[in-house]
């Protein structure tokens, strides 16, 4: 789960598309909370890129490991 501000949400969407990360659920409050589905490698890249883009201000939390079907 990624919690970030509205400005960084657009950047998160771009990174997700670039890294083939699925944005499963998005909740808009005073911040934006996005539940993502990705593999371990993409998770590491997402964490690094979002930390860089937001100067460490976003919160990224690993909720659980699960399986999901990928269409080829």
């Amino acid at each position: 789960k990624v919690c970030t501000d509205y400005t960084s949400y657009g950047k998160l969407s771009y990174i997700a598309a670039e890294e083939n990360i699925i944005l499963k659920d998005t909740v808009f409050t005073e911040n934006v909370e996005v539940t993502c589905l990705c593999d371990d490698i993409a998770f590491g890249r997402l964490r690094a890129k979002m930390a860089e883009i937001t100067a460490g201000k976003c919160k990224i939390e690993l909720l659980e490991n699960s399986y999901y079907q990928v269409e080829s």
Side-chain angles (χ1 to χ4, degrees):
K1 179 185 271 187
V2 179
C3 182
T4 191
D5 60 27
Y6 280 83
T7 304
S8 300
Y9 172 67
K11 296 171 186 174
L12 169 62
S13 297
Y14 177 79
I15 293 168
E18 188 177 58
E19 296 291 339
N20 294 317
I21 296 172
I22 299 167
L23 302 181
K24 183 178 177 188
D25 186 34
T26 305
V27 177
F28 296 95
T29 58
E30 65 273 359
N31 289 310
V32 183
E33 293 183 4
V34 183
T35 302
C36 306
L37 296 175
C38 61
D39 62 29
D40 292 338
I41 295 169
F43 178 75
R45 288 188 203 138
L46 173 67
R47 181 176 286 220
K49 288 180 180 181
M50 287 302 294
E52 181 181 341
I53 288 169
T54 65
K57 293 181 182 176
C58 73
K59 179 181 174 188
I60 299 177
E61 176 184 0
L62 179 61
L63 298 177
E64 63 184 42
N65 286 327
S66 61
Y67 295 95
Y68 58 95
Q69 185 174 351
V70 178
E71 295 181 22
S72 51

